Amino acid sequence: MTRAADLVLTNADGHTLTDPDESFGAVAVRDGRIVRVGRTDEIAHLTGVETREIDCDGRTLLPGFVDAHTHLPMVGRRIANADLATDERDAAVDALADHARTTDREWVLGFGYDESAWADARYLRRADLDGVSERRPVVAFREDMHVASLNTVALERLRPEMPDGDVHVEGDGRGTGGEGDPTGVVVEDAVEAVWEAVKPDRERMTTLVRAAQARANELGVTCVHDMVRHSDAPAVYRQLDRHEELTLRVRLNYWSDHLDAVEEMGLRTNHGSRMVRTGAIKTFTDGSIGGRTAKLSEPYADAGDGEDDGTADDCGQWVVDPTELREVVDRADELDMQVAAHAIGDEAIAETLATFEAVAAADATDADRASEGGASLDEEPGGPRHRIEHAEVLTDDLVARLGASDVVVSAQPNFLKWAREDGLYAARLGDERRLDSNRYADLLAAGADLAFGSDCMPLDPLFGVQQAVTAPAEGQRLDVTGALRAYTRGGAYAGFDEDRLGTVETGKRADLVVLEASPWAVDPDEIGDVDVALTLVDGAVVVDERA
């Protein structure tokens, strides 16, 4: 006799997001796994006395969203501090001032400003933030987290820890540490000094993670790949997991300066619990387009314009140069660790691919020698499955190479908000390169493995889907199914989770999201406005907002 299901969802507009995508009306769950997918009448025999039944009332049911690149505590920080995602500079400054009046913490922090949305597209500067406080340190982080703006108190306190080349100064359009006074705008390594100064302690981190996971669940996110560095977040995730208070799956991608600790602790990619697993070694190569520090093969279109350019090279800069990158990848490879390399500019993407290819060739040579000697090598299932994070500025050659490689392209479709006409990328890259950025359709056509994430800009899968579906260029634009797959099965594949997550199929974990409207049916420009009705993780309802 077939045992009854713990949960059945019926009368759904369900999509498996398999290939081909199959529709269904009901799904049955037992012990956290999907045990049947089909019509409502086909699973009626699985409904028992204690089975919970949820009538979806025609709502759209999908696999839960996998955010393949995020910084989850940052979501908590935006909730707990000043949210600077405003349409005007004055509103961002006012938000900081309001927060200063309501917090008793020494540091006044704001997160998420995007100057490209403001009339003069100028970074917040020291003079702006001195108006918030002349006694307490004030910091405003740009949305990309590669740029920060400091008031005089904060700048004077941290200036000794900052490299000159990453501190903008008056009268030096390239911000190379000239004779002028600092503007309060800092980039890259100088921002690291700020992060270290405002790092939350364990108690604060627990508060931030709890707030962030609640927000993620509200948006239908059931799994995140979190990029962690010098943080109590991994310990907090594991503590919540032990107490069964974690309501999303977490894949921990450790920064490369954790390699000693990773080796000492014997961590390996994919090791961990049902909810928390070790992921990749995360490394940078270049910076960001917003900070003019992404490494390009040709100069920025606006190189040298204005006082806030802040890069020592009109083509951007290396954060981790190719020699150091090779050392990181070699060592991670020796430890059987996946690598997730941040590479935004075409020069950085090319060097990263070349590094992955060189390490793979060396491994193949070693394997051949071992085989000749009669030895066998332990290999991670599916190979290392290395990742390039962002991969924004692309050439035809790079698209073809990525398509032919085993490298996962871990991209952020919400970045397409800057690729619109007269947007940030038009100013930074010019029209030709803005339309050649984020080429998702071209990548899929070339055979690349594509995974979507948010990088917390913002943490909202449906907003990202909307951006991909309405992208300005054909080579960037996906249909709804393709965009949703990248945000579900694509992320699962990037995390070696394709056998348990990413689609609605028998045997997979019951991580599901139910939407109030179908992304296929609404106006493409309104996909981001679709509300989440239900979010389930392992068959447990963690969000129920049914209207």
Side-chain angles (χ1 to χ4, degrees):
M1 180 177 178
T2 302
R3 186 159 59 96
D6 302 319
L7 169 74
V8 296
L9 295 98
T10 61
N11 298 320
D13 168 30
H15 294 263
T16 62
L17 294 186
T18 55
D19 191 10
D21 177 33
E22 297 182 2
S23 60
F24 62 91
V27 60
V29 177
R30 185 192 305 121
D31 298 329
R33 292 186 181 276
I34 297 168
V35 295
R36 187 69 185 268
V37 179
R39 299 190 310 270
T40 297
D41 64 302
E42 290 177 326
I43 67 169
H45 68 288
L46 293 173
T47 303
V49 174
E50 296 183 359
T51 301
R52 180 179 181 184
E53 298 183 61
I54 295 177
D55 188 339
C56 293
D57 197 25
R59 295 179 178 90
T60 297
L61 193 158
L62 304 171
F65 297 122
V66 178
D67 191 322
H69 183 121
T70 194
H71 307 263
L72 196 64
M74 288 300 302
V75 178
R77 284 182 158 185
R78 287 182 69 160
I79 293 170
N81 296 283
D83 188 345
L84 307 183
T86 65
D87 292 332
E88 297 179 354
R89 174 179 292 98
D90 289 347
V93 175
D94 287 345
L96 278 164
D98 289 343
H99 181 57
R101 286 189 289 270
T102 59
T103 182
D104 57 2
R105 293 180 175 274
E106 180 189 17
W107 288 80
V108 179
L109 305 178
F111 295 86
Y113 86 80
D114 176 10
E115 82 291 339
S116 71
W118 300 338
D120 60 359
R122 174 177 67 77
Y123 297 138
L124 285 169
R125 305 176 81 234
R126 179 169 58 153
D128 299 312
L129 303 187
D130 283 345
V132 174
S133 179
E134 295 182 346
R135 296 180 298 105
R136 300 161 68 185
V138 180
V139 181
F141 292 94
R142 191 181 186 276
E143 189 175 26
D144 65 359
M145 296 178 285
H146 289 258
V147 178
S149 303
L150 286 65
N151 75 340
T152 299
V153 175
L155 186 64
E156 289 179 349
R157 185 177 300 187
L158 300 179
R159 184 66 183 87
E161 311 299 322
M162 296 177 171
D164 288 343
D166 288 342
V167 178
H168 291 198
V169 296
E170 301 278 7
D172 186 346
R174 296 175 7 165
T176 54
E179 298 296 327
D181 291 331
T183 66
V185 178
V186 301
V187 301
E188 303 305 341
D189 286 345
V191 179
E192 292 303 319
V194 186
W195 288 123
E196 185 62 27
V198 302
K199 183 170 67 173
D201 60 18
R202 178 73 61 85
E203 181 180 2
R204 181 67 168 170
M205 180 60 74
T206 301
T207 299
L208 297 176
V209 167
R210 286 184 183 277
Q213 80 162 354
R215 179 59 179 154
N217 289 157
E218 289 170 359
L219 295 168
V221 177
T222 58
C223 177
V224 296
H225 298 182
D226 200 0
M227 312 294 165
V228 295
R229 183 184 194 186
H230 300 163
S231 167
D232 283 329
V236 171
Y237 290 133
R238 292 189 174 99
Q239 181 181 29
L240 292 174
D241 186 18
R242 286 195 303 273
H243 293 283
E244 298 185 348
E245 296 175 351
L246 199 59
T247 58
L248 45 68
R249 302 183 200 279
V250 181
R251 187 170 179 83
L252 296 168
N253 292 340
Y254 293 96
W255 236 260
S256 57
D257 47 11
H258 289 283
L259 268 167
D260 285 344
V262 166
E263 182 172 12
E264 290 167 5
M265 295 177 66
L267 296 180
R268 293 293 183 270
T269 293
N270 300 324
H271 289 187
S273 71
R274 178 172 50 87
M275 298 299 291
V276 182
R277 295 189 176 182
T278 297
I281 294 298
K282 165 72 162 55
T283 182
F284 279 110
T285 59
D286 61 349
S288 73
I289 294 172
R292 295 186 184 86
T293 52
K295 189 65 174 172
L296 306 177
S297 60
E298 299 291 336
Y300 281 87
D302 58 354
D305 291 349
E307 62 188 1
D308 284 327
D309 286 3
T311 173
D313 187 331
D314 288 345
C315 293
Q317 67 189 63
W318 295 112
V319 175
V320 173
D321 67 36
T323 299
E324 184 179 352
L325 176 66
R326 175 62 188 266
E327 293 171 355
V328 169
V329 177
D330 274 335
R331 188 170 177 200
D333 188 62
E334 290 173 0
L335 297 176
D336 295 327
M337 293 292 293
Q338 183 186 36
V339 175
H342 165 121
I344 288 180
D346 58 326
E347 187 80 5
I349 298 166
E351 288 290 347
T352 303
L353 265 175
T355 298
F356 286 159
E357 290 163 354
V359 172
D363 284 348
T365 299
D366 290 343
D368 287 343
R369 290 171 179 167
S371 177
E372 291 171 2
S376 62
L377 296 178
D378 293 330
E379 295 184 357
E380 197 67 40
R385 206 174 292 185
H386 295 321
R387 303 161 45 145
I388 292 182
E389 309 298 312
H390 313 306
E392 289 198 67
V393 183
L394 293 165
T395 62
D396 290 345
D397 176 65
L398 288 173
V399 169
R401 288 174 64 189
L402 286 165
S405 76
D406 295 326
V407 174
V408 175
V409 179
S410 172
Q412 292 68 47
N414 38 328
F415 289 6
L416 283 165
K417 65 188 178 184
W418 293 311
R420 312 289 168 171
E421 188 175 1
D422 299 326
L424 174 67
Y425 290 2
R428 292 286 194 274
L429 303 174
D431 274 342
E432 182 176 350
R433 283 185 295 183
R434 80 168 171 93
L435 295 174
D436 275 341
S437 69
N438 303 289
R439 293 169 59 177
Y440 306 138
D442 289 344
L443 285 166
L444 287 180
D449 295 308
L450 181 64
F452 277 170
S454 70
D455 209 7
C456 300
M457 293 190 254
L459 180 83
D460 189 343
L462 289 174
F463 175 80
V465 169
Q466 175 182 313
Q467 296 302 312
V469 170
T470 63
E474 183 177 351
Q476 299 167 325
R477 197 178 309 126
L478 298 179
D479 62 17
V480 172
T481 302
L484 288 171
R485 280 176 173 159
Y487 238 126
T488 51
R489 56 188 286 181
Y493 180 82
F496 295 89
D497 270 331
E498 65 270 26
D499 290 335
R500 66 175 190 147
L501 307 176
T503 57
V504 184
E505 295 180 90
T506 299
K508 292 200 172 180
R509 309 304 306 187
D511 294 0
L512 306 167
V513 60
V514 179
L515 306 179
E516 288 288 358
S518 168
W520 289 271
V522 301
D523 186 294
D525 289 320
E526 296 176 355
I527 292 173
D529 297 326
V530 173
D531 291 327
V532 170
L534 288 164
T535 303
L536 299 92
V537 176
D538 262 354
V541 176
V542 296
V543 169
D544 188 346
E545 297 289 344
R546 283 174 288 176

